[in-house]
Amino acid sequence: MEQPKAPKNKKPNFKFNLYWIYSIIAFTMFGLFIFSPNTSVKDENWSKFEELARSNSFSKITVYSNKKMLEATLFDSSASKVFSKDELANGAKERQIKVSIPSADKFNDQVQIWKKETNFHADITYKEDNDFMNSFLWSFGPLILIAIVWFYFMRRMSGQGGAGGGVFNVGKAKAQIFDKASVNKTTFKDVAGLSEAKQEVEEIVEFLRNPSKFTELGGKIPKGALLIGPPGTGKTLLAKAVAGEADVPFFSLSGSDFVEMFVGVGASRVRDLFRQAKEKAPCIIFIDEIDAVGRARGKNPSMGGNDERENTLNQLLTEMDGFGTNSGIIVMAATNRVDILDKALLRAGRFDRQINVDLPDINDRKAIFGVHLRPIKIDESVNIEFLARQTPGFSGADIANVCNEAALIAARGGKSFVEKQDFTDAVDRIVGGLEKKTKITTEEERTAISIHESGHATLSWFLEHASPLIKVTIVPRGRALGAAWYLPEERQITTKEQMLDEMCATLGGRAAEELFLGRISTGAINDLERVSKQAYAMIAYYGMSDKLPNLCYYDSTGQEYAFTKPYSENTAQQIDKEVSDMISQQYNRAKEMLTKYKDGHASLTKILLEKEVIFKEDLEKLFGERAWKSRTEEILIQDEAKEKAKLTLESESESSPEETKTL
Ligand code: ATP
């Protein structure tokens, strides 16, 4: 491994700045104003000049022979012959007149006559006026002005990305560098859960801190690690923690930072990044959202001959495992589209390790809540276990959002602590959008919405595999006019029966409208979209159709079927038929079930119209206890029972502390 190089003597960094030009111009103007001779000048004709000359009114005369003009300075006593009273009051030291002359020789002849005829005795000087500056400005001024404007705009354009402004710096990498001295460090303590991923990256930090531990046994230090996972799961956070923990410089930039409108810039930025990194090795380079440059080559529909992104990727591939050695540099990258990355980028030797950062499970969610609740003043009613159970499918970013939203809701309510209800409201808001109590709905619409939502609620109560309901509301939220909350079970695999039950419950809204209202409405669009997509996925992707069994037309790389379908026209028709058959079967099933439970549905609609929100408990009162309980529900019930027992115990201990001991 390369040893870290001694820091080079840094050259003082004098950067050209446009404000310098502004200051120089301002100073020059100020200087001219202060130091320019304080002189009043007036243009006069020859007759007037001759008259003044004959009366000996001038102290000195300067003749500019090349310009065929002269400047004559008046005696103070003669100034009033030319300047008015007001003009004389301006306090100028000298007063001059400017006159055009036929030529210097003719003027000289005239002077001789005046000297003979009058007592004219002004000092006369003959000069060639040096007009270089004037002519230079006239010839080159516009060019200079254009150059300044062009330079200014190019700086603005190329400097937008932050560091390394200037048109000549476009090829420089714009990486942000963190090192030991950086403040606001993120550490592994700030990353909750993700234990496997954390272990892998901790090992990378260990490689850099203590390489001999691994190399002594003949092992090689990995060249790269790719963090893969859905959005908001903490990939960037994990990388930041590596930056905070590793005692080595950390270069961070985003995949899109390589891309610029100029051809060849991406590749040169990659080269520059690795050159900078080599100077500081051992170090880590982190490229966030690497899919911006790492997309598979050769599949570009633009068909351009010289694809800038491909050049950038080629350069990246070369730098990561090319002919030159880049020892001591570990490249970390993050993406949520690993399927579209170029295969060459993923091979061992470039990204040796692929670290999956998945959506957190219940224990991870508990830990993440633990991190984000730290700065929040919470009430005793808040139970992390409960919060983690209420948020299946939430990412770390969603959880951070829930905590923040709950604090904002509590602050809006003027509370001094954030309560359990605030968290529940925050979850509702994030799932369903903002409550819009002021949205105007007619009585007829409210009835339709109640019938629709009760349809969902009734079916999910009586279908074994449908997600258990938590609450239903007809208060508009976000863009929806009503909403139902379910507690989905956290499954790793889903069976056909489970999917069909969910489909049937989703169709319950439209089925109820048709059965009990006699007409259907646009309100079911979201349900229909979900159901259609799910049915298509079941048939074309999961091979769950009887007529087209075990066939999968899914392309996990996302590249094969960009323009064409992988099946024949005949199969396409079969797929369409199967999808519509599946949906209509479930729709009929929904209608049958709703007919069977129509009384319950009618009562539910009535309660919903009255109360606007109904909970699981109301359904239990109406339909009796649900016959099936999901695993998540069972655990939740056990937790609630435990909490109740704890509360009773605490209240007993408060009344008679001795009793607790005996318990
Ligand atoms: P994307 O792929 O969209 O860039 P990401 O996976 O990089 O997303 P991050 O930017 O790392 O997501 O996470 C966003 C925020 O979510 C973090 O700033 C943090 O507040 C929170 N977060 C995510 N995961 C965790 C975690 N495991 N522990 C604590 N906080 C987390």
Side-chain angles (χ1 to χ4, degrees):
M1 170 186 256
E2 255 178 45
Q3 287 306 307
K5 289 183 182 167
K8 286 186 174 177
N9 280 344
K10 275 193 178 170
K11 280 181 217 157
N13 192 8
F14 289 119
K15 263 198 192 162
F16 172 77
N17 192 327
L18 208 69
Y19 288 109
W20 286 17
I21 290 188
Y22 299 151
S23 326
I24 290 169
I25 292 173
F27 272 114
T28 318
M29 304 275 275
F30 184 71
L32 280 177
F33 178 74
I34 293 289
F35 300 110
S36 63
N38 194 359
T39 311
S40 287
V41 184
K42 222 176 189 185
D43 284 323
E44 284 298 347
N45 56 23
W46 176 258
S47 321
K48 178 79 181 171
F49 172 71
E50 190 173 14
E51 183 193 320
L52 290 166
R54 283 183 179 277
S55 59
N56 192 28
S57 307
F58 301 116
S59 57
K60 64 181 179 194
I61 295 173
T62 311
V63 182
Y64 297 102
S65 44
N66 59 335
K67 286 165 82 179
K68 291 190 181 169
M69 57 87 66
L70 61 78
E71 279 171 4
T73 308
L74 288 156
F75 286 117
D76 286 347
S77 51
S78 312
S80 56
K81 294 178 188 166
V82 179
F83 293 91
S84 67
K85 260 189 191 172
D86 288 346
E87 286 166 341
L88 288 173
N90 69 1
K93 278 187 206 149
E94 280 189 346
R95 290 171 214 284
Q96 293 181 339
I97 60 165
K98 260 190 195 173
V99 185
S100 295
I101 52 170
S103 72
D105 289 342
K106 287 218 169 124
F107 173 72
N108 200 24
D109 295 345
Q110 194 62 46
V111 167
Q112 299 315 318
I113 297 169
W114 291 335
K115 276 189 178 168
K116 269 187 207 156
E117 292 177 3
T118 67
N119 66 343
F120 176 85
H121 58 262
D123 287 343
I124 299 176
T125 324
Y126 290 89
K127 261 189 186 176
E128 286 270 322
D129 191 13
N130 189 354
D131 216 12
F132 172 75
M133 205 53 204
N134 243 343
S135 48
F136 176 82
L137 277 181
W138 277 113
S139 330
F140 295 103
L143 267 182
I144 295 171
L145 202 69
I146 291 168
I148 290 176
V149 171
W150 178 80
F151 192 72
Y152 177 72
F153 280 107
M154 290 315 265
R155 265 180 63 84
R156 294 275 308 253
M157 272 157 59
S158 57
Q160 265 162 8
V167 71
F168 305 112
N169 280 343
V170 282
K172 299 258 165 70
K174 296 169 175 178
Q176 223 183 334
I177 305 179
F178 299 89
D179 46 28
K180 287 180 214 173
S182 302
V183 279
N184 290 337
K185 274 188 184 179
T186 306
T187 64
F188 285 131
K189 267 195 219 141
D190 301 309
V191 186
L194 308 178
S195 41
E196 292 84 22
K198 226 152 75 172
Q199 193 186 339
E200 297 247 8
V201 290
E202 270 171 9
E203 224 169 76
I204 291 174
V205 174
E206 190 59 29
F207 280 135
L208 290 168
R209 278 196 191 145
N210 192 3
S212 58
K213 183 173 152 192
F214 302 89
T215 49
E216 264 170 20
L217 296 174
K220 275 194 199 132
I221 290 180
K223 287 196 177 147
L226 184 63
L227 300 164
I228 304 164
T233 42
K235 297 179 293 295
T236 313
L237 188 72
L238 209 55
K240 274 195 211 159
V242 173
E245 297 270 344
D247 280 339
V248 294
F250 187 94
F251 293 79
S252 164
L253 78 171
S254 155
S256 58
D257 287 345
F258 292 114
V259 188
E260 190 76 61
M261 65 175 190
F262 305 112
V263 174
V265 167
S268 98
R269 281 190 182 161
V270 173
R271 260 192 309 275
D272 187 63
L273 173 69
F274 278 84
R275 185 190 53 73
Q276 285 180 32
K278 259 184 245 175
E279 281 173 13
K280 297 219 171 190
C283 67
I284 298 173
I285 294 176
F286 174 62
I287 307 173
D288 207 356
E289 319 292 355
I290 196 172
D291 40 292
V293 279
R295 216 170 261 259
R297 289 163 296 174
K299 310 271 187 207
N300 196 349
S302 72
M303 325 248 170
N306 184 1
D307 185 0
E308 170 63 2
R309 199 176 42 73
E310 285 194 5
N311 290 344
T312 313
L313 175 60
N314 283 337
Q315 188 61 41
L316 189 64
L317 295 175
T318 319
E319 292 289 350
M320 284 187 74
D321 189 23
F323 203 60
T325 49
N326 275 330
S327 45
I329 301 174
I330 293 188
V331 184
M332 283 179 71
T335 179
N336 30 44
R337 295 295 314 272
V338 68
D339 48 317
I340 60 163
L341 290 187
D342 197 280
K343 293 284 167 284
L345 196 60
L346 297 173
R347 74 146 167 85
R350 293 212 172 91
F351 285 112
D352 301 302
R353 300 182 160 209
Q354 296 194 5
I355 304 171
N356 279 310
V357 186
D358 284 326
L359 284 175
D361 62 10
I362 177 139
N363 290 324
D364 284 351
R365 288 203 300 276
K366 255 193 267 178
I368 298 173
F369 266 112
V371 168
H372 291 287
L373 287 179
R374 258 187 240 152
I376 295 179
K377 283 190 191 169
I378 50 171
D379 180 82
E380 277 171 9
S381 61
V382 179
N383 177 351
I384 288 192
E385 183 91 29
F386 171 81
L387 292 178
R389 293 218 175 278
Q390 293 296 319
T391 48
F394 276 43
S395 67
D398 292 331
I399 293 176
N401 197 11
V402 166
C403 294
N404 188 45
E405 198 64 46
L408 296 182
I409 292 173
R412 216 173 290 146
K415 298 181 188 169
S416 45
F417 288 98
V418 188
E419 294 166 8
K420 184 175 168 182
Q421 188 54 44
D422 302 322
F423 282 94
T424 322
D425 290 348
V427 172
D428 287 357
R429 184 184 165 166
I430 285 164
V431 176
L434 187 65
E435 238 182 31
K436 287 187 183 150
K437 288 203 166 145
T438 48
K439 199 167 193 159
I440 298 165
T441 42
T442 61
E443 202 48 45
E444 209 178 321
E445 279 171 341
R446 270 164 53 84
T447 315
I449 300 165
S450 301
I451 287 175
H452 182 104
E453 296 302 333
S454 303
H456 288 308
T458 313
L459 288 192
S460 66
W461 198 257
F462 292 107
L463 283 164
E464 178 175 358
H465 300 294
S467 302
L469 187 112
I470 305 173
K471 81 174 190 190
V472 194
T473 172
I474 55 163
V475 176
R477 256 179 195 279
R479 293 178 60 208
L481 294 173
W485 276 257
Y486 301 94
L487 188 63
E489 200 166 353
E490 286 179 56
R491 313 181 184 119
Q492 302 305 322
I493 49 171
T494 312
T495 63
K496 186 176 172 183
E497 288 69 33
Q498 287 165 341
M499 288 172 115
L500 289 177
D501 275 6
E502 270 162 22
M503 199 183 279
C504 181
T506 314
L507 287 167
R510 164 64 61 99
E513 281 182 47
E514 192 192 322
L515 276 181
F516 307 122
L517 212 60
R519 55 182 162 75
I520 51 174
S521 69
T522 55
I525 178 166
N526 285 339
D527 300 338
L528 298 184
E529 185 189 349
R530 270 220 326 265
V531 164
S532 307
K533 279 190 181 153
Q534 193 174 9
Y536 184 81
M538 283 171 77
I539 283 151
Y541 298 161
Y542 299 122
M544 287 180 175
S545 138
D546 295 333
K547 300 222 174 98
L548 298 163
N550 308 327
L551 281 172
C552 172
Y553 300 110
Y554 181 66
D555 170 35
S556 61
T557 59
Q559 292 153 16
E560 299 295 333
Y561 315 135
F563 298 113
T564 51
K565 297 265 183 242
Y567 37 76
S568 69
E569 196 50 43
N570 191 20
T571 317
Q573 282 174 5
Q574 259 181 303
I575 292 175
D576 288 346
K577 173 99 186 20
E578 284 288 273
V579 168
S580 73
D581 282 355
M582 180 180 271
I583 294 175
S584 58
Q585 268 171 24
Q586 293 312 314
Y587 188 65
N588 290 336
R589 188 173 160 217
K591 284 207 290 193
E592 273 166 31
M593 285 185 73
L594 281 172
T595 318
K596 189 172 165 193
Y597 298 108
K598 70 169 190 267
D599 295 339
H601 177 273
S603 320
L604 196 60
T605 309
K606 210 168 141 233
I607 304 175
L608 198 52
L609 269 173
E610 275 165 23
K611 297 213 276 183
E612 292 198 330
V613 185
I614 53 172
F615 294 89
K616 193 177 106 192
E617 293 72 28
D618 300 304
L619 278 138
E620 263 172 15
K621 270 189 224 151
L622 209 67
F623 297 129
E625 203 167 314
R626 194 166 181 253
W628 311 275
K629 290 219 168 3
S630 67
R631 221 161 15 105
T632 324
E633 252 191 317
E634 271 168 13
I635 300 170
L636 208 60
I637 291 166
Q638 281 168 14
D639 287 346
E640 273 170 18
K642 264 192 232 161
E643 210 175 314
K644 266 188 203 151
K646 208 173 100 201
L647 280 177
T648 348
L649 198 66
E650 272 169 9
S651 53
E652 277 175 15
S653 63
E654 268 166 25
S655 52
S656 55
E658 290 82 15
E659 256 175 61
T660 340
K661 280 181 201 157
T662 53
L663 274 167

